[in-house]
Amino acid sequence: MIGSDLVTTLQSSPATFLTAVALLGLIVGSFLNVVILRLPVMLERQWSRQSREFLQLDVPAEESEAFSLAAPSSRCPHCGHRITALENIPVLSYLLLRGRCSECRAPISARYPLIEAATAALSVVVAWHFGFAPQTAAALVLTWILIALAAIDFDHKLLPDILTLPLMWLGLLLSLGTVFIDPRTSVIGAAAGYLSLWLVFKLFKLATGKEGMGYGDFKLLAALGAWMGWQLLPVVVMLSSVVGAVVGIALIALRGRDRSIPIPFGPYLASAGWLALLWGHDLLNAYLRWAGLGA
């Protein structure tokens, strides 16, 4: 009874619905901070452990200790102070602590509240766009995973299979219910997404002898193709390429970034994919009209 009343309230009151989504986004954003920070370390330890076991080498004591998304509890990296529940309220705790550890007063990275606030804001945009519908629940999951992927790739130039592959399978499964697209379009989109970047990768390597991108980029575009179909893949690639080129040129011009240092492509793919899911068809139609190809 309570559940049905809650659903009725959320469905009948857009303001209540958006507020609930914003609060949920803040909570998820706090969890995403943990994923972004810990998942690469967990994967690195797993790879190191497997390599050592294969070579029959001893595993270091620090790598044998439990380390997951749940344990150990969050601590200050400077003094080891354990973060309490009151100090872990999304955004609010950072503001109340004035961006510093309550114990040693060392600065806390502003990235944590920014991730939380961005997750909440993007979640509200998704809820406002789709309304109280199944598409909103699915698009929220996509949004949250894309945020984690973008941040991890920015930090480590890594798009973990543990995130990209489930994202692709989820897109394929959603197509069975035609949540966004039909199964045929989804399967072709996944295949086209992977093969298109794989082909670019091979041609670039043949021409230059260098690897222009990683396999994680192929899998991410395959996942986006599974969610929105092959028709929107050109929009995703165009948007990500333009933004990536602009940011890359800006980094070189303003910060003197070495041209030989690779720039991760994942954040731009993730951003373009999110935009395409919400407004991809509008962007595509606008481009076709501009090019004189539309009605």
Side-chain angles (χ1 to χ4, degrees):
M1 192 69 176
I2 296 178
S4 61
D5 291 342
L6 178 60
V7 170
T8 301
T9 300
L10 294 177
Q11 193 171 11
S12 61
S13 174
T16 303
F17 175 54
L18 294 179
T19 300
V21 170
L23 293 175
L24 177 62
L26 287 172
I27 296 171
V28 172
S30 180
F31 175 70
L32 290 182
N33 277 320
V34 177
V35 174
I36 293 165
L37 181 66
R38 296 194 180 196
L39 184 58
V41 179
M42 292 165 54
L43 293 174
E44 183 179 353
R45 289 190 177 190
Q46 179 183 351
W47 298 330
S48 175
R49 188 180 305 111
Q50 291 173 347
S51 299
R52 290 179 178 277
E53 290 175 354
F54 178 78
L55 297 173
Q56 297 183 343
L57 299 175
D58 294 333
V59 178
E62 61 272 14
E63 291 188 11
S64 61
E65 296 176 356
F67 188 85
S68 66
L69 298 179
S73 57
S74 298
R75 298 178 182 275
C76 172
H78 302 282
C79 67
H81 167 67
R82 182 175 179 178
I83 308 300
T84 65
L86 291 178
E87 296 171 341
N88 206 25
I89 302 173
V91 179
L92 182 60
S93 291
Y94 181 88
L95 296 176
L96 293 176
L97 292 170
R98 298 182 179 180
R100 294 187 175 276
C101 171
S102 62
E103 188 71 20
C104 67
R105 307 307 299 166
I108 302 171
S109 174
R111 176 171 174 170
Y112 298 119
L114 288 176
I115 291 289
E116 294 163 352
T119 303
L122 295 180
S123 298
V124 168
V125 172
V126 166
W128 171 79
H129 181 82
F130 290 110
F132 191 84
Q135 288 82 357
T136 296
L140 285 175
V141 174
L142 175 65
T143 300
W144 299 335
I145 296 178
L146 289 179
I147 291 172
L149 284 169
I152 291 173
D153 198 36
F154 182 82
D155 288 341
H156 303 278
K157 298 180 180 62
L158 170 70
L159 292 169
D161 287 353
I162 197 173
L163 294 179
T164 56
L165 295 183
L167 189 64
M168 182 186 69
W169 286 113
L170 181 57
L172 293 171
L173 290 173
L174 288 172
S175 73
L176 296 176
T178 320
V179 175
F180 294 108
I181 54 177
D182 60 88
R184 182 175 182 272
T185 304
S186 180
V187 171
I188 296 176
Y194 187 93
L195 292 175
S196 58
L197 284 190
W198 177 85
L199 183 59
V200 171
F201 168 84
K202 288 296 183 181
L203 292 175
F204 183 83
K205 189 173 183 180
L206 286 174
T208 66
K210 300 178 181 179
E211 296 184 352
M213 63 184 69
Y215 280 71
D217 298 316
F218 313 163
K219 298 167 188 174
L220 177 54
L221 190 57
L224 295 174
W227 277 73
M228 60 194 71
W230 59 270
Q231 297 93 333
L232 290 183
L233 289 178
V235 176
V236 175
V237 173
M238 185 179 299
L239 282 174
S240 57
S241 299
V242 170
V243 175
V246 171
V247 172
I249 293 172
L251 289 174
I252 293 173
L254 300 177
R255 297 186 180 182
R257 184 186 180 98
D258 189 347
R259 289 176 172 82
S260 63
I261 299 176
I263 298 176
F265 192 42
Y268 310 120
L269 271 180
S271 302
W274 185 81
L275 291 171
L277 182 71
L278 272 65
W279 300 290
H281 290 288
D282 293 334
L283 292 171
L284 180 59
N285 292 333
Y287 174 76
L288 291 176
R289 287 194 299 270
W290 174 81
L293 301 175

